Amino acid sequence: MKVEVIPIKTDYIKPNEGYYTLITNIIKYCQDDDYIVISETPISTAEGNLVDESKYIPSIAASILTELWSKYLWGYVLCPLLGYKKRTITNLRNMPHEARYHKQFILEKYGLKYALQPTSEAGVDLSNVPEQYVSLLPENPQKSADYIKEIIHKKTGKNVNIIICDTDSTYDFYGKKFTTLPKSIETIHNNTGIFGYVLGNFSKKIGPTPLASTVKCDVEMLIKLCAIAEKSQVENTNTFFETVYNMKTTFDTDYNKVTPALLNTITHIPAVIIRF
């Protein structure tokens, strides 16, 4: 079966901007029955679901979790032992001082179960957001997906399928699908935190995690669509920020000094259309 993949390129979607930029660019190309995979960060940014971590005061617990637990135990012992990517190990060993603010926020918002994760805590995204802001998962991803589908139909009369996806992985452990994220579609067990993070090392990594979908189909199909979209995002831009460290390298500045103006100098791909 032939598959057509169309990356939707936009300027930086600003905090609290709403869906105008996203939907305006999607309707230029979409057709009936298209699958439109949208990344979770532009959804949260558009909805203003951001937090300024500079307002959090690092506690002793946050400092220990950042320095001893994440940077040294995971960075120098557990990650090499478990065969993590060299990039992950390097990033952990070079965690900046500001990481303590991030860990404090995770502790207060999500608790120890997520603060114990050395990376990807609760799906909170430090990349593609300015200064010391972070992007949380959308408050209600299914509601957001349903609303975007409805607006596109009202504007164009076209029926499309909306999928909201997070790059954090879904795993399979003896037929049980799970993710560390606090949210996902119903057929994926979520909110596992550090337990899922550790178990993931002994499980099969399937692909990105769908958070919401307006089409009812097999979970493997949804994950496959998310993987196709992620591959398109990587291949169609040289500024795909998988981590905050990629963003820091691109702009040649500390990540907490990245401004909306800087983010607006690059091409963003918040969504991908997949057509069979």
Side-chain angles (χ1 to χ4, degrees), residues 70 102-103 106 110 114-115 117-124 126 168:
S70 299
H102 177 64
K103 196 65 77 174
I106 296 297
Y110 299 100
Y114 279 104
Q117 283 185 230
T119 63
S120 303
E121 305 100 316
V124 175
L126 290 84
D168 281 17

Side-chain angles (χ1 to χ4, degrees), residues 198-255:
V198 173
L199 185 60
N201 292 285
F202 309 98
S203 306
K204 179 182 178 182
K205 184 185 290 187
I206 306 176
T209 300
L211 303 179
S213 173
T214 62
V215 58
K216 303 298 181 183
C217 65
D218 188 83
V219 62
E220 281 85 2
M221 178 62 174
L222 288 177
I223 294 172
K224 180 180 179 180
L225 290 167
C226 291
I228 292 171
E230 183 179 308
K231 181 181 179 184
S232 176
Q233 288 173 317
V234 173
E235 291 178 346
N236 286 281
T237 178
N238 57 3
T239 53
F240 179 73
F241 298 145
E242 188 173 2
T243 70
V244 68
Y245 298 97
N246 301 129
M247 186 170 70
K248 178 181 177 180
T249 301
T250 296
F251 294 123
D252 192 26
T253 185
D254 289 338
Y255 79 92

